[in-house]
Amino acid sequence: MNPKELKNRLDARKSGSDDFYLLDVRNPNEQEISTIDGTDLLIPVAELPARIGELDPWKSSGKEVIVYCRSGARSANACGVLKSTGFAKVFNLEGGILLYSDEVDPSLAKY
């Protein structure tokens, strides 16, 4: 999923016409620097296998999970973990929060 698609989905979710979960897999110190408005949960990618239970309601509801990190690499790995545990609708934010900042919200701090 590219940044502009995510922005459109976030706008649609605010109006109630879309429903998905936005998962940040960065570390807490990174989230303190900047975060995408509408993020539902932070689980660092290294903790994801141990904390997968926190996401089970999402899997059982069949809702999409959109995953992001700083540049897209960690979130791509996280998508693999989620798919291997039965999540069917998982999408990686291409370019992560850095590309999102470039293309959608330049007010987000880069690091």
Side-chain angles (χ1 to χ4, degrees):
M1 175 170 296
N2 70 50
K4 290 180 182 174
E5 290 171 325
L6 175 58
K7 173 65 171 143
N8 290 337
R9 300 280 310 267
L10 286 165
D11 289 344
R13 185 168 76 168
K14 286 179 187 174
S15 70
S17 62
D18 199 349
D19 196 14
F20 61 91
Y21 292 95
L22 184 58
L23 174 64
D24 183 351
V25 294
R26 298 174 301 150
N27 294 314
N29 64 311
E30 293 175 282
Q31 190 182 46
E32 291 174 12
I33 297 168
S34 65
T35 193
I36 296 174
D37 284 338
T39 298
D40 295 298
L41 187 61
L42 168 71
I43 300 179
V45 71
E47 298 175 16
L48 189 56
R51 295 178 60 187
I52 202 81
E54 294 176 42
L55 303 173
D56 279 341
W58 297 358
K59 178 170 58 176
S60 63
S61 72
K63 292 181 184 175
E64 295 177 352
V65 178
I66 301 169
V67 186
Y68 77 94
C69 65
R70 181 176 180 263
S71 66
R74 286 177 285 176
S75 53
N77 290 336
C79 286
V81 170
L82 292 172
K83 288 177 182 177
S84 73
T85 61
F87 286 82
K89 299 175 184 177
V90 180
F91 301 92
N92 182 31
L93 177 61
E94 298 169 7
I97 197 168
L98 290 176
L99 190 58
Y100 191 87
S101 175
D102 287 343
E103 294 186 358
V104 174
D105 187 356
S107 71
L108 289 174
K110 290 186 173 184
Y111 58 98

